[in-house]
Amino acid sequence: SLVVSDDDVWRDQFYDGNIKKERGAIVLRLAKSWFRIGTLEILAHSGELDLLRRLLDFIIQTHFPSIAVNDSNRYLEFFSTVVSETANLISLWMSVGFAHGVCNTDNFSLLSITIDYGPFGFMDSYDPNFVPNTSDDERRYKIGNQASVGQFNLSKLLQALKPLLDPRQKQLASQILKGYGEHYYSRFTELFKTKLGLLGENENDNYLIAFLLKVSLLC
């Protein structure tokens, strides 16, 4: 919902120095959870490990019922689930040409749902350099970067979890993170094959997908 105020605020809408008055407003957005990677990062960074552990246990108990909260490997299982579900989410974004716009760790959900998208957009035709955020001059979060940015954010999640993992769990978590790219690529290919009506496995499927995207780019 959008609640408009009678008070004026100064805004530089395009960050180009052209400041003007606009009516203030409050946007209300709803989601089943607002826990993000950044939520855990800040606790780990400040050394609040007891609070980090308590919050993680609450998140697991509330939103990850398949993971036993008393399991000694619960944080490893949690990380594995977030890695695979993040790969699935970004694959879905890419399958419909959705650009989030601001893919930092504070905007990446631990439940792998799409939250906090402000300057988002959809491509009209395929362009890996498409970016809807007018303030992103470096194209950091262009649509072609979303998969790699997802992996970067997951590496920050692992960094936040490491104080709670033993040496064996840390090694396993690193292996899980390395599998992110393969998981993403497999899901991305599966979604595009479904869109194209391709059945079974054929060594030319990936070539066909890449070729059609390139044709779209040229058009």
Side-chain angles (χ1 to χ4, degrees):
S1 70
L2 181 65
V3 180
V4 180
S5 169
D6 291 330
D7 296 330
D8 290 330
V9 294
W10 290 98
R11 292 199 63 212
D12 185 356
Q13 183 178 0
F14 298 105
Y15 301 95
D16 57 4
N18 294 317
I19 302 173
K20 65 177 182 179
K21 276 188 176 182
E22 294 182 351
R23 291 182 67 186
I26 298 173
V27 179
L28 173 64
R29 292 174 290 186
L30 301 179
K32 57 183 177 181
S33 169
W34 291 100
F35 291 121
R36 318 117 187 267
I37 292 176
T39 308
L40 304 183
E41 266 191 301
I42 192 169
L43 294 178
H45 180 74
S46 60
E48 298 181 76
L49 301 187
D50 182 58
L51 183 56
L52 174 63
R53 186 179 290 104
R54 287 164 53 199
L55 178 60
L56 265 170
D57 287 344
F58 173 80
I59 292 171
I60 290 171
Q61 188 172 16
T62 306
H63 298 292
F64 295 81
S66 63
I67 302 175
V69 74
N70 58 352
D71 188 338
S72 61
N73 289 314
R74 61 189 181 278
Y75 302 141
L76 184 65
E77 291 185 39
F78 164 79
F79 180 67
S80 179
T81 302
V82 176
V83 168
S84 60
E85 290 303 316
T86 298
N88 289 339
L89 175 66
I90 300 179
S91 298
L92 287 168
W93 287 357
M94 298 300 291
S95 73
V96 294
F98 173 80
H100 182 284
V102 191
C103 296
N104 54 40
T105 57
D106 201 39
N107 290 331
F108 257 54
S109 165
L110 291 172
L111 275 62
S112 303
I113 55 178
T114 306
I115 60 172
D116 268 16
Y117 50 100
F120 71 93
F122 287 87
M123 291 187 297
D124 293 324
S125 59
Y126 178 69
D127 178 5
N129 293 314
F130 172 72
V131 56
N133 187 351
T134 56
S135 65
D136 188 0
D137 298 328
E138 299 177 357
R139 296 183 180 271
R140 182 188 302 270
Y141 300 129
K142 63 184 181 181
I143 196 168
N145 279 355
Q146 289 187 142
S148 59
V149 169
Q151 184 168 22
F152 175 84
N153 290 344
L154 290 168
S155 72
K156 293 298 183 181
L157 173 59
L158 176 55
Q159 188 175 335
L161 294 176
K162 277 186 175 180
L164 306 183
L165 305 177
D166 62 33
R168 182 190 64 86
Q169 291 171 335
K170 290 177 184 177
Q171 185 177 15
L172 290 173
S174 295
Q175 293 174 1
I176 290 170
L177 182 59
K178 288 180 180 178
Y180 164 85
E182 182 178 350
H183 189 116
Y184 167 79
Y185 186 73
S186 175
R187 182 62 176 143
F188 174 89
T189 303
E190 178 186 345
L191 288 166
F192 270 84
K193 286 177 64 175
T194 301
K195 289 165 73 75
L196 296 172
L198 300 177
L199 305 177
E201 297 292 333
N202 189 297
E203 61 181 10
N204 293 320
D205 288 346
N206 292 336
Y207 168 79
L208 180 60
I209 293 170
F211 175 76
L212 291 174
L213 290 174
K214 185 175 181 180
V215 168
S216 174
L217 175 61
L218 294 175
C219 292

